[in-house]
């Protein structure tokens, strides 16, 4: 099993040379003290921790898994000590509110840490990323007393947070939940019900676990409009922050899963557990989306991280594994055979994986930057534009990144041949760990339905218009400090510019077709949803590759810090995307145009 190395050079290139992060951080009071040097130092230390502490536990944690003794859950050997090291180093509060002990770093920086976590040990990473989302929600919606009591401890890693939504009878349709919350007359609520698939629902990493639970009040309206949100700690919390007796929160068992076996995925029972209402009554689903939107980008990054570590392992194997001779004769005549990396089909697979990974890293950073703008930027118009882009692109960030993440782990596994199917090489674990990311936090089909139904048809393409407006402005050199230089005449950039123009026009055509079709056929949106999300993903990646190519050309001209070899490789990988991956978008447009008839005319009995 090859080692993992955090892609720090590529992360810095995207952050500083593509997005000009340091320059923008200075314009936002919340991030004004952050500079490129500090960002580099943070991520270098993060990379060291992941490489030295978490990655060595990845394979053993998968083999051992979590244990349930009928009452308590224990994590794999080494997880406790690794978690304590991260907690003591402040890594649980990296993006937290400084008023309550967090470090206040922007999402553009913390998402790079998330990628390292998922690449190094996806099962372990989930404890931290769920905690980040829970803390974010409490910071946005809890009262000051609750924030002061809970946030410092979540940021310090003394406690960890969870998200409790799904029940045996409902997942996507949360209006069907049966968990009940009954006022106790003292401003608290008695929570009773069962939840399933709860990441980190019970474990031995912290003394207390803070559950965010969806439940219904006695007077709740039917359906999703009747959901409220409650904070329910595993153990009672006193006013001074000390932990008391058990609070009626009981683990009913561990799920037996395909992957992420180091993550404790639990059945949880709430038996008259005392809870605190977070936000307004019957507004729990809207409140929970504060957490879920950030978590959806995080889960997208799970796909990205696993794709990158899978690529690194496959390339180490492909350089050493010798089979046959290269086309045209021996590449290394002194050896019995040539490395398999000399064969065209292996290179095809390798470059497919690398291009998806590097495009995904660009896209994830872009969405994270827009999240920061929507939250921190002093200019109201900038915040509004960013919020619209986030609304449109969040489903894509979750679904397109995880679709590609799973595909890249499978492709990387294929490079090993038969060895990839065997446990000791590690490739099959990445495939298993990546598969869940397409399912949880809202399946990728649900993400596509959300994109088409809420983000396209419902507002008649307003978000898409904003996206197109921003993309065209960038292509004309008006965004991200690109300057006014006419990039149309640079021969190396012409293919990227032409592709971006073509793909944006294609996306706009398909959007118009879908909006019009939805006016006359209620099934039109659902039938095209998957293909439309994929098409938007391809278009967004084409934009990202344009941005990267432009930055690489600038780096070559100015002898940038990333180095000539890096810039030339970036342009070559981008060219691979244009030539061998992007042509799929033409087929997607054709599929969208077909309409729903071929799906909906079938009688159920024929399936």
């Amino acid at each position: 099993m090859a080692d993992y190395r955090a892609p720090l050079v590529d992360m810095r290139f995207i952050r500083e040379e593509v997005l000009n992060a340091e320059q923008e951080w200075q314009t936002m009071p919340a991030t004004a003290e952050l500079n490129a040097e500090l960002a580099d130092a943070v991520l270098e230390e993060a990379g060291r921790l992941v490489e030295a502490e978490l990655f060595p536990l990845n394979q053993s944690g998968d083999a051992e898994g979590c244990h349930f003794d009928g009452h308590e859950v224990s994590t794999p050997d080494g997880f406790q000590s690794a978690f304590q090291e991260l907690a003591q180093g402040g890594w649980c509060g990296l993006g937290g509110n400084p008023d309550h002990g967090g470090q206040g770093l922007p999402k553009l920086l913390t998402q790079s840490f998330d990628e390292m976590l998922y690449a190094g040990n996806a099962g372990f990473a989930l404890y931290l990323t769920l905690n980040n989302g829970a803390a974010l929600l409490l910071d946005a919606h809890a009262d000051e007393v609750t924030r002061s009591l809970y946030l410092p401890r979540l940021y310090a890693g003394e406690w960890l947070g969870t998200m409790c939504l799904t029940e045996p009878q409902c997942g996507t349709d949360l209006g069907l939940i049966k968990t009940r919350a009954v006022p106790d007359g003292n401003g608290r609520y008695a929570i009773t019900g069962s939840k399933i698939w709860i990441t980190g629902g019970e474990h031995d990493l912290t003394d207390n676990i803070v559950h965010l639970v969806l439940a219904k009040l006695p007077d709740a309206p039917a359906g999703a409009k009747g959901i409220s949100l409650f904070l329910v700690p595993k153990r009672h919390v006193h006013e001074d922050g000390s932990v008391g007796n058990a609070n009626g929160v009981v683990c009913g068992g561990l799920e037996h899963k395909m992957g992420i076996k180091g993550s404790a995925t639990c059945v949880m029972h709430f038996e008259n557990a005392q809870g605190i209402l977070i936000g307004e009554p019957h507004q729990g689903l809207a409140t929970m989306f504060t957490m879920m939107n950030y978590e959806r980008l995080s889960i997208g990054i799970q796909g990205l991280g696993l794709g990158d570590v899978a690529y690194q392992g496959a390339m180490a194997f492909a350089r050493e594994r010798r089979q046959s001779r290269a086309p045209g004769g021996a590449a290394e005549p002194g050896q019995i055979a040539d490395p398999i990396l000399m064969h065209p089909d292996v290179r095809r697979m390798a470059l497919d994986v690398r291009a998806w990974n590097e495009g995904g890293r660009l896209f994830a950073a872009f969405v994270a930057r827009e999240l920061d703008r929507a939250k921190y930027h002093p200019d109201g118009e900038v915040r509004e534009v960013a919020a619209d882009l986030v609304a449109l692109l969040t489903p894509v960030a979750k679904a397109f990144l995880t679709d590609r993440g799973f595909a890249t782990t499978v492709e990387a596994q294929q490079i090993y041949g038969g060895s990839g199917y065997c446990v000791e090489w590690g490739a099959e674990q990445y495939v298993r760990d990546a598969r869940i990311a397409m399912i949880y936090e809202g399946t990728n089909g649900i993400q596509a339905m959300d994109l088409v139904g809420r983000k396209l048809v419902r507002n008649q393409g307003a978000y898409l218009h904003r996206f197109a407006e921003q993309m065209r402005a960038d292509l004309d050199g008006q965004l991200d400090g690109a300057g006014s230089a006419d990039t149309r005449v640079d021969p190396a950039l012409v293919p990227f510019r032409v592709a971006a123009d073509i793909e944006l026009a294609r996306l706009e055509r398909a959007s118009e077709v879908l909006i019009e079709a939805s006016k006359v056929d209620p099934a039109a949106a659902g039938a095209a949803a998957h293909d439309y999300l994929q098409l938007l993903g391809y278009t967004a990646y084409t934009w990202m590759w344009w941005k990267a190519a432009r930055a690489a050309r600038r780096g070559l001209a100015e002898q940038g810090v990333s180095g000539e070899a890096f810039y030339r490789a970036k342009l070559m990988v981008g060219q691979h995307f244009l030539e061998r991956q992007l042509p799929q978008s033409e087929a997607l447009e054709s599929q969208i145009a077909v309409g729903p008839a071929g799906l909906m005319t079938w009688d159920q009995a024929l399936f």
Side-chain angles (χ1 to χ4, degrees), residues 12 85-86 111 128 183 244 246 332 338 388 432 437 527 562 600:
R12 190 186 193 284
E85 181 168 354
L86 266 70
Q111 62 89 26
L128 276 75
E332 298 182 13
D338 291 328
D388 286 352
R432 291 186 288 105
S562 298
M600 303 310 294

Side-chain angles (χ1 to χ4, degrees), residues 512-593:
E512 291 174 8
V513 166
L514 193 48
I515 290 171
E516 291 304 311
S518 297
K519 293 177 181 178
V520 297
D521 191 335
H530 169 80
D531 294 331
Y532 184 82
L533 185 146
Q534 299 296 310
L535 182 61
L536 179 51
Y538 275 100
T539 307
Y541 274 42
T542 306
W543 181 12
M544 296 304 109
W545 274 113
W546 152 258
K547 296 167 82 69
R550 181 178 58 194
R553 288 294 290 171
R554 187 188 306 121
L556 285 170
E558 300 174 0
Q559 297 183 325
V561 296
S562 298
E564 180 180 355
F566 175 91
Y567 297 128
R568 294 198 182 282
K570 183 65 67 176
L571 289 165
M572 291 170 68
V573 176
Q575 193 69 33
H576 179 86
F577 170 78
L578 296 183
E579 293 173 351
R580 290 182 172 266
Q581 294 175 325
L582 187 56
Q584 294 298 317
S585 66
E586 187 173 350
L588 289 167
E589 184 181 15
S590 297
Q591 290 163 206
I592 291 168

Side-chain angles (χ1 to χ4, degrees), residues 371-419:
L371 280 166
D372 289 333
R373 284 180 167 178
K375 184 175 182 179
Y376 297 125
H377 206 283
D379 188 319
E381 184 177 352
V382 173
R383 290 198 304 274
E384 180 183 333
V385 170
D388 286 352
L389 289 176
V390 168
L392 179 72
L393 295 177
T394 291
V396 185
K398 194 278 181 179
F400 199 75
L401 278 168
T402 57
D403 281 347
R404 303 286 87 71
F406 179 67
T408 54
T409 59
V410 171
E411 195 83 283
Q413 183 191 34
Q414 187 73 14
I415 291 172
Y416 291 82
S419 297

Side-chain angles (χ1 to χ4, degrees), residues 56-325:
L57 299 174
N58 185 49
Q59 204 165 25
S60 62
D62 176 70
E64 180 184 350
C66 296
H67 303 279
F68 178 60
D69 66 3
H71 301 282
E72 298 178 341
V73 172
S74 57
T75 54
D77 286 346
F79 273 40
Q80 277 188 315
S81 60
F83 178 78
Q84 288 305 312
E85 181 168 354
L86 266 70
Q88 290 166 13
W91 297 97
C92 295
L94 208 60
N97 187 342
D99 292 341
H100 295 287
Q103 297 186 43
L105 297 181
K107 187 66 175 176
L108 179 56
L109 196 58
T110 63
Q111 62 89 26
S112 292
F113 179 49
D114 286 349
E115 181 190 334
M116 295 180 203
L117 287 174
Y118 282 120
N121 194 320
F124 184 97
L126 289 163
Y127 297 104
L128 276 75
T129 54
L130 264 292
N131 187 63
N132 294 341
L136 180 78
L137 185 150
L138 292 177
D139 187 40
H141 297 287
D143 58 42
E144 182 57 30
V145 171
T146 302
R147 288 199 296 268
S148 298
L149 191 59
Y150 283 85
L151 288 179
R153 292 163 179 84
L154 293 173
Y155 293 152
E158 295 176 22
W159 303 341
L160 283 174
T162 78
M163 179 170 62
C164 300
L165 284 70
T166 306
E167 299 182 7
Q169 77 286 350
C170 68
T172 300
D173 189 357
L174 289 168
L176 301 176
I177 65 171
K178 296 179 180 179
T179 299
R180 292 289 180 261
V182 179
D184 66 2
N186 297 310
R188 302 296 176 96
Y189 299 81
I191 313 297
T192 301
S194 295
K195 301 287 184 176
I196 61 172
W197 304 336
I198 307 307
T199 299
E202 170 63 21
H203 54 72
D204 58 0
L205 300 180
T206 57
D207 293 334
N208 206 9
I209 301 172
V210 180
H211 301 285
L212 295 176
V213 184
L214 293 183
K216 289 191 173 183
L217 294 164
D219 63 345
K225 294 181 179 179
I227 297 173
S228 298
L229 178 67
F230 301 86
L231 183 159
V232 186
K234 173 185 173 181
R235 308 185 73 83
H236 288 286
V237 176
H238 301 308
E239 291 183 1
D240 63 357
S242 60
V243 176
N245 296 328
N247 184 30
V249 180
V250 178
C251 179
L254 289 172
E255 306 287 1
H256 301 284
K257 302 170 298 184
M258 176 179 175
I260 55 167
K261 295 187 177 181
S263 172
T265 309
C266 303
V267 176
M268 299 302 300
H269 303 303
F270 298 89
E271 302 171 354
N272 287 314
Q274 187 181 82
I276 302 168
L277 178 66
I278 302 297
E280 297 298 319
H282 317 315
Q283 297 298 313
L285 201 54
T287 304
M288 183 64 83
F289 269 105
T290 301
M291 178 179 182
M292 290 178 70
N293 281 337
Y294 271 75
E295 289 300 319
R296 283 173 175 170
L297 174 58
S298 177
I299 295 307
I301 293 169
Q302 178 180 343
L304 170 60
L306 286 164
D308 190 53
V309 70
Y311 173 79
Q312 292 189 30
M315 291 305 93
F317 180 88
R319 292 187 189 98
E320 297 294 328
R321 177 70 167 174
R322 295 180 179 275
Q323 295 283 278
S324 305
R325 290 300 187 185

Side-chain angles (χ1 to χ4, degrees), residues 403-464:
D403 281 347
R404 303 286 87 71
F406 179 67
T408 54
T409 59
V410 171
E411 195 83 283
Q413 183 191 34
Q414 187 73 14
I415 291 172
Y416 291 82
S419 297
Y421 202 67
C422 297
V423 171
E424 60 266 28
W425 292 95
E428 59 84 33
Q429 183 189 343
Y430 302 139
V431 173
R432 291 186 288 105
D433 286 352
R435 186 63 184 89
I436 184 57
M438 302 164 73
I439 298 172
Y440 58 16
E441 292 299 334
T443 66
N444 288 1
I446 291 298
Q447 302 302 318
M449 291 291 292
D450 173 58
L451 173 65
V452 172
R454 292 192 180 98
K455 311 298 172 57
L456 178 69
V457 173
R458 183 175 296 181
N459 69 7
Q460 295 295 288
Y463 288 149
L464 181 72

